[in-house]
Amino acid sequence: MSNTSSSGWGSRVGLILAMAGNAVGLGNFLRFPVQAIENGGGAFIIPYLVCFIFMGIPLLFVEWSVGRFGGKFGHHSTPFILDSMDKRKLWKYIGVFGIFTNLAVAAYYCYLESWTLSYVWHSVADTFAGKSQGQVAGFFGNYVSLSTMEPIIFWVICLLLNTWILSKGLSGGVEKAAKIGMPLLLLFGAFLAYKAVTIHAGEHGAINDGLLGLDYLWTPKFDTIWEPKVWLAAAGQIFFTLSIGMGSIQCYASYVRSKDDIALNAMSAGWMNGFVEVVLGSAIIIPISVGYLGIDGLKDLLSDGGGLGLGFKTLPYLFEQWGSVLGVFAGVAWFGLLFFAGITSSLAMGTPVMGFLQDEFGWKEKNAAWMFGASVFLLGLPTVLFFNNGVFDEYDYWAGTVSLVLFAFVEIILFAWIFGMDKGWKEIMQGSDIKVPIFFKFIIKYVTPIFLGWVFFSSIPGIADTISHKTSKEKIAFYESKSMISDKIEENQKILENKKDFKPLFLKDTYSDKTLEANKKIEITTYLLVKKQRDLLKSIEDDSYRKAKITEEEKTILYKNISRALLVILWLGIAYMVYLASVKRRKLA
């Protein structure tokens, strides 16, 4: 494959692996299985595949062709890639989302990525050996609460590693990382999937066969298939997993020569991501959890902490049941897999920012990479320091969800209706190594925009709830009402009394939190519920404690508002830089 610049791709394989690495991220292993279970199990795969074919693949075609088209004119970031398709000023500023999203997502994603690096170290050091389930779960809680400097140290190490790789360019840095990371990811994933599905009841403390987890995951519940929330979840997962609507695909594709294939490349990267998600992603975390905790235990954990709860609070303990040597290797494989999935995605987030600085302001590659690293450090610091106050989640919602859908919706309108579907189709087919079915032309022009419009407008009530801090206000109202707390205590008590490992002693003041945490006879689901019950009992007995909970939630609202202001300032700052670049271009014209 030829390059369009000195920092272009070295090979087609490297490009496809880098594109797949961009798509294959933490969500493939932590988010997809949870989404499937919560939305009908095997029935979820039907809307998932429909969304993949009618929204995912068309958008991959569009973003690859948009990027390559912009690359013909020397543009490697979305503001001026979109400008090359239509000269009205609006499009440059729509293209701001393609830089904004990458910076804002990288700001929290690199922190999450650093957790995996830290847990690789703790797996090697056998930190979790001999610990109870409560202690393993407590380790994660202490970690994100910054009880030590370790999270910040690993976060900085992770940022430096990302920046150093980016400073080596596409072929010398990103491509090499993908060629190493993706094969190791698949190798680790295959090992863990094999171990998961071959778990047998009665061995190493397992209560079920691992295959029961797959059976539970993929047994369809067809009564849920027509629920709008299931389709919204499937569409959201496609966005999340393929990294569409971000601007990184366009940037990668802008370094492809004008006569090189994009259609087969797009399909290859998309289906590789689908394989990793559907086959490997579903065959690790769920079978292991069901094997050791049972289906009810899995449901309890999902309601408490989702994929993150399973991945970081529970799996390290379960790996220890496989023995000291195999447990260490499994921990390294699991968190190593997550690390490689994370870093290949975060590297893709740096390239549009670097491309913009290099194209418009003449920055050298290394300087642009270090500027990206410094920006992510400054933007990400609030997500690290105030993780428990919702800043991380706020970044994820606005930059990692809403912005993706909005940008993709407007982008496909530009491609199909303003740039023109005939020109767009010609761009997709130019140099294509496969014959793309002609019906995709109809899908891109009509079906995908309608699909995206439905996804976006259906999300507006949720957006309104988020803007108004509905969840936080409900928590405040809950803690302001002793009757609501009493009702919840009564509800929890009924559940606890049906658990064989529960003892009334656990709720006594004389039974300390550390003693509870260290008790190896308590299952993780019981432990978490007991912790909640102790907290509720303290809230109803101690008015000052209850008021402190209210104050903490009010603080969360404040920090969320500040994080929103930071995101708005970031967007406006990038827009101003695009304006300066436009002025510079006019002077040179």
Side-chain angles (χ1 to χ4, degrees):
M1 168 173 285
S2 301
N3 302 328
T4 57
S5 76
S6 60
S7 60
W9 300 104
S11 67
R12 182 172 188 166
V13 171
L15 168 61
I16 293 173
L17 286 175
M19 279 288 194
N22 171 37
V24 174
L26 298 169
N28 293 71
F29 301 96
L30 296 175
R31 192 175 189 269
F32 172 76
V34 176
Q35 289 292 311
I37 283 179
E38 291 179 343
N39 292 283
F44 179 74
I45 201 65
I46 297 173
Y48 175 87
L49 288 175
V50 170
C51 290
F52 182 73
I53 292 169
F54 289 98
M55 188 174 69
I57 291 295
L59 278 169
L60 285 175
F61 285 147
V62 168
E63 296 203 345
W64 274 77
S65 57
V66 164
R68 187 181 64 178
F69 180 81
K72 296 175 186 178
F73 304 96
H75 306 317
H76 303 102
S77 60
T78 51
F80 290 98
I81 287 176
L82 298 192
D83 182 63
S84 67
M85 299 175 70
D86 187 89
K87 291 301 180 183
R88 278 169 281 198
K89 294 180 181 179
L90 166 71
W91 298 111
K92 287 195 292 286
Y93 298 102
I94 294 294
V96 167
F97 281 101
I99 298 176
F100 161 81
T101 301
N102 284 283
L103 269 172
V105 171
Y108 69 85
Y109 196 87
C110 284
Y111 182 43
L112 178 54
E113 185 184 308
S114 73
W115 299 354
T116 68
L117 194 60
S118 172
Y119 270 64
V120 167
W121 160 249
H122 284 291
S123 297
V124 172
D126 212 9
T127 300
F128 305 112
K131 292 193 181 301
S132 67
Q133 294 187 56
Q135 287 171 326
V136 173
F139 179 89
F140 178 77
N142 291 332
Y143 189 92
V144 296
S145 297
L146 303 182
S147 59
T148 69
M149 287 294 291
E150 180 187 326
I152 295 176
I153 292 170
F154 272 98
W155 175 57
V156 172
I157 290 172
C158 194
L159 283 180
L160 290 173
L161 182 59
N162 273 269
T163 304
W164 178 74
I165 294 172
L166 285 169
S167 71
K168 299 296 181 181
L170 288 180
S171 61
V174 175
E175 187 174 335
K176 285 184 178 179
K179 285 181 175 179
I180 295 170
M182 288 303 294
L184 283 174
L185 182 153
L186 294 172
L187 183 64
F188 288 160
F191 162 74
L192 289 166
Y194 170 77
K195 284 296 299 176
V197 299
T198 56
I199 290 172
H200 295 294
E203 292 183 3
H204 306 297
I207 60 176
N208 297 303
D209 290 346
L211 286 174
L212 180 65
L214 283 184
D215 181 64
Y216 173 68
L217 177 60
W218 294 121
T219 298
K221 301 175 183 65
F222 288 109
D223 56 319
T224 66
I225 196 172
W226 296 116
E227 293 181 11
K229 76 178 187 70
V230 175
W231 287 82
L232 282 172
Q237 182 62 24
I238 290 297
F239 264 97
F240 194 89
T241 191
L242 292 178
S243 298
I244 47 184
M246 286 190 69
S248 51
I249 291 175
Q250 295 91 324
C251 178
Y252 274 7
S254 69
Y255 291 97
V256 175
R257 197 172 65 175
S258 61
K259 294 184 179 179
D260 282 338
D261 166 81
I262 57 167
L264 181 58
N265 287 349
M267 290 284 282
S268 300
W271 284 107
M272 184 182 293
N273 173 78
F275 168 80
V276 171
E277 181 157 274
V278 175
V279 178
L280 293 183
S282 63
I284 298 174
I285 197 168
I286 301 303
I288 294 175
S289 300
V290 170
Y292 285 95
L293 304 173
I295 292 173
D296 290 337
L298 172 66
K299 289 179 178 178
D300 289 343
L301 280 175
L302 290 181
S303 64
D304 184 75
L308 286 180
L310 280 175
F312 289 90
K313 294 181 181 179
T314 306
L315 282 191
Y317 172 80
L318 298 183
F319 290 147
E320 288 297 319
Q321 312 313 303
W322 295 355
S324 57
V325 176
L326 193 55
V328 167
F329 186 78
V332 171
W334 171 243
F335 293 109
L337 173 154
L338 293 180
F339 174 71
F340 287 125
I343 195 168
T344 50
S345 296
S346 60
L347 290 173
M349 298 171 198
T351 49
V353 180
M354 291 173 59
F356 175 69
L357 294 174
Q358 290 175 267
D359 290 349
E360 309 306 327
F361 299 100
W363 285 46
K364 292 182 179 180
E365 203 162 51
K366 289 185 178 180
N367 293 340
W370 288 103
M371 174 55 76
F372 171 76
S375 300
V376 171
F377 175 80
L378 292 174
L379 287 166
L381 201 56
T383 71
V384 178
L385 298 178
F386 308 112
F387 176 85
N388 289 328
N389 292 111
V391 175
F392 184 103
D393 294 332
E394 203 70 11
Y395 274 45
D396 181 43
Y397 182 76
W398 294 108
T401 304
V402 176
S403 289
L404 303 187
V405 179
L406 178 61
F407 180 62
F409 178 53
V410 177
E411 179 186 40
I412 203 163
I413 297 297
L414 168 64
F415 181 84
W417 291 91
I418 297 174
F419 181 68
M421 194 61 237
D422 290 336
K423 287 170 64 179
W425 188 252
K426 183 179 178 182
E427 187 65 34
I428 291 171
M429 295 304 298
Q430 186 174 11
S432 174
D433 290 339
I434 59 171
K435 186 171 179 59
V436 180
I438 192 66
F439 67 80
F440 271 109
K441 186 175 182 180
F442 174 82
I443 290 172
I444 291 171
K445 187 169 185 177
Y446 297 104
V447 179
T448 307
I450 292 172
F451 214 138
L452 283 169
W454 175 71
V455 170
F456 178 73
F457 289 109
S458 297
S459 302
I460 288 177
I463 293 172
D465 288 343
T466 303
I467 290 173
S468 65
H469 300 289
K470 181 181 178 182
T471 301
S472 289
K473 289 178 179 177
E474 286 176 348
K475 286 182 181 179
I476 291 172
F478 174 80
Y479 281 109
E480 286 177 339
S481 171
K482 286 191 174 183
S483 63
M484 291 175 68
I485 297 174
S486 296
D487 290 343
K488 188 64 178 176
I489 289 172
E490 186 177 341
E491 179 187 330
N492 288 347
Q493 192 65 31
K494 289 179 181 178
I495 299 172
L496 284 171
E497 287 172 357
N498 288 323
K499 289 185 174 290
K500 295 179 181 179
D501 55 337
F502 170 71
K503 294 181 181 180
L505 172 69
F506 297 160
L507 299 178
K508 301 291 184 181
D509 290 338
T510 53
Y511 199 81
S512 70
D513 287 339
K514 284 190 176 180
T515 305
L516 175 68
E517 192 176 89
N519 192 325
K520 294 183 178 181
K521 295 181 179 180
I522 306 176
E523 291 185 358
I524 184 64
T525 52
T526 305
Y527 166 78
L528 293 172
L529 188 56
V530 169
K531 287 276 289 182
K532 287 181 181 178
Q533 191 75 331
R534 286 167 66 96
D535 183 76
L536 290 172
L537 288 169
K538 189 173 182 180
S539 297
I540 207 166
E541 293 167 1
D542 187 343
D543 284 344
S544 62
Y545 181 77
R546 186 166 53 84
K547 288 177 182 177
K549 300 287 282 188
I550 295 171
T551 302
E552 188 66 18
E553 204 57 45
E554 289 172 342
K555 189 192 295 183
T556 293
I557 292 175
L558 173 63
Y559 281 123
K560 284 186 174 182
N561 285 334
I562 292 172
S563 64
R564 292 175 188 178
L566 288 174
L567 292 175
V568 171
I569 291 169
L570 173 64
W571 193 96
L572 292 173
I574 296 169
Y576 180 66
M577 291 184 70
V578 169
Y579 167 75
L580 293 178
S582 300
V583 172
K584 183 180 177 183
R585 281 173 174 266
R586 285 198 298 269
K587 288 181 179 179
L588 294 174

